[in-house]
Amino acid sequence: MENLAAVHIGLPLDAYLAQSRERITSQLAELIKIDTVAPNEERAFPLIEKWLDALGMEHYRQEPHPELDIHDDYTPPFVLNNQSPRRNLKARWPHTDKPRLRISIHVDVVPAGKHPQPWSGLVDNERVYGRGSADNKANIIILLEALRLMKQLDLQSAYDIEVDFVTDEEAGGNGALSCTLYPDTADAVLVMECTDLLPYYGHRGCVTFDVTCSGETGHMGCSHGKGLFDHVFDIVTSLKTLSNELNTQALAMEGYQTLGDDARVIQLNINECEAKGWHGTAMEIFRLRCNLGLPPDLNCEEGMKIVEQRLTSAGVDVALTMSGLRNRGYIGKPQGPLLNALTTYSAPALVQQHAPTLWHVSCDARHYEKLNPQEIVIWGVGSLSQAHSNNEYVQIDDMLSGINTLITLLSNHEVRL
Ligand SMILES: [Zn+2]
């Protein structure tokens, strides 16, 4: 690859990319400055469309699929306070008769939280900072930069490339779901996410649910059997025990075995907690909103059944409702041309020791099964340890490495599906 680049530009690709550093970081900074917290993803589309025009790529904004909100995988708008589904941006590299590669990248970011300069796009010698730098805007930039360099170097693509710039990943995945409901196929799918340039062939799921129970009221100090307050401990303890067991179950799966016994794939989070009762009176209502990770082989309904059984056997009488994220897990094939190529081409020494595994967080990959691809791979620049954090940044050298890998992947004619 370096020789091929050297023929066209008189420089090894790494050296050439190093010269492009400033343009790459300033493009990322420009994108970070646009606040794309859902439902405002479309704010970034004009800038991305300008870059696509410069590449000569066809593009259009695709309306939400008319049957999106009746699909089983649809996430009702609990997370977004009744915001309706939004358009996605679709793009296509000039048509070829090569194998069809669909690339999916989400444009939304999580809210700023306590990030001190979320929309700054601040750049120093090593990093670009801001909300969405790692998750997931650096991936938009490295893909477009790889395509730009391929065009400049006159490198033919080994694939017919179609890109989905999707909305709503962080709030449920309805953007990618909408894209995949349109009748279409793909030979392979690359979902670009902040995986530290390591390829994954599946991911775990998660489900958000409300546990609500009501108790018998009475004056504090009187005996009314087991009160609601005691049940609070039963509920939390049962769910915590369940998450530990599901974690053990996940770690026994083939795609997680290399992580070691101490790894935490499945977690329980409490997102909201509400208790009601008059002062000095026994608690009347108790409600928890929880998010529970699920092993990739359990769907959300199966997960909810297990939660219900667990709470019932703990003697707690509760109402249980799904109330937010319902991300089904996905398990693909641990071998495939795209997965093998990314394992081979990714530069970090780490990847050489890294047998491809299942990702320990959820993403949009699950939706792309509908296109019947031979494989779906999750890969991209940015670190999960930075994603959603209060000091989110991406390493510039990792971006250059990712561009190098993408160019090798997308133009290498030995890579066949
Ligand atoms: Zn992401």
Side-chain angles (χ1 to χ4, degrees), residues 106 135-136 169-170 193:
H106 70 84
D135 186 11
N136 197 28
E169 193 274 341
E170 303 289 3
E193 276 281 7

Side-chain angles (χ1 to χ4, degrees), residues 139-391:
N139 281 306
I140 295 175
I141 300 299
I142 69 166
L143 174 66
L144 295 180
E145 185 64 13
L147 295 175
R148 198 190 68 77
L149 283 169
M150 282 168 63
K151 190 175 175 187
Q152 186 176 335
L153 301 176
D154 202 21
L155 296 175
Q156 292 299 306
S157 171
Y159 303 95
D160 179 355
I161 298 169
E162 194 175 343
V163 189
D164 297 347
F165 297 97
V166 299
T167 57
D168 197 61
E169 193 274 341
E170 303 289 3
N174 291 332
L177 175 62
S178 172
C179 277
T180 57
L181 290 178
Y182 285 92
D184 209 349
T185 58
D187 293 304
V189 177
L190 174 62
V191 178
M192 294 186 71
E193 276 281 7
C194 45
T195 71
D196 280 311
L197 301 174
L198 300 175
Y200 292 87
Y201 63 88
H203 60 79
R204 72 146 170 75
C206 72
V207 62
T208 299
F209 55 90
D210 278 16
V211 182
T212 310
C213 46
S214 26
E216 197 184 330
T217 60
H219 200 292
M220 199 165 73
C222 299
S223 172
H224 295 281
K226 189 160 182 175
L228 201 45
F229 183 68
D230 295 312
H231 281 321
V232 170
F233 293 94
D234 296 335
I235 292 166
V236 174
T237 307
S238 301
L239 292 175
K240 175 70 182 157
T241 306
L242 175 60
S243 77
N244 289 341
E245 289 171 14
L246 291 176
N247 191 57
T248 306
Q249 191 179 317
L251 292 180
M253 292 176 70
E254 190 186 341
Y256 286 129
Q257 277 169 352
T258 52
L259 295 183
D261 292 344
D262 295 338
R264 197 76 216 181
V265 172
I266 302 299
Q267 287 173 319
L268 171 74
N269 283 308
I270 294 179
N271 310 110
E272 287 177 25
C273 180
E274 183 187 24
K276 277 189 187 158
W278 182 251
H279 309 224
T281 304
M283 197 189 292
E284 264 181 78
I285 290 177
F286 177 70
R287 181 182 68 86
L288 273 187
R289 178 163 292 175
C290 307
N291 181 266
L292 178 66
L294 296 173
D297 56 348
L298 279 185
N299 66 34
C300 298
E301 288 71 25
E302 289 165 334
M304 289 298 288
K305 251 185 209 140
I306 294 172
V307 169
E308 189 178 9
Q309 284 163 359
R310 191 55 63 100
L311 292 176
T312 306
S313 66
V316 189
D317 187 15
V318 295
L320 210 54
T321 48
M322 277 203 257
S323 52
L325 297 181
R326 50 186 72 184
N327 297 355
R328 188 168 48 80
Y330 164 70
I331 308 176
K333 292 183 224 153
Q335 292 284 337
L338 191 60
L339 192 70
N340 294 343
L342 281 166
T343 308
T344 307
Y345 298 148
S346 282
L350 182 62
V351 83
Q352 306 308 332
Q353 309 151 15
H354 170 89
T357 57
L358 299 167
W359 207 21
H360 47 287
V361 291
S362 305
C363 70
D364 279 339
R366 67 195 188 276
H367 295 309
Y368 284 89
E369 280 183 299
K370 296 180 195 64
L371 304 183
N372 281 319
Q374 292 166 39
E375 58 177 330
I376 301 173
V377 179
I378 307 155
W379 173 92
V381 72
S383 179
L384 195 59
S385 61
Q386 286 303 315
H388 305 197
S389 80
N390 289 333
N391 187 33

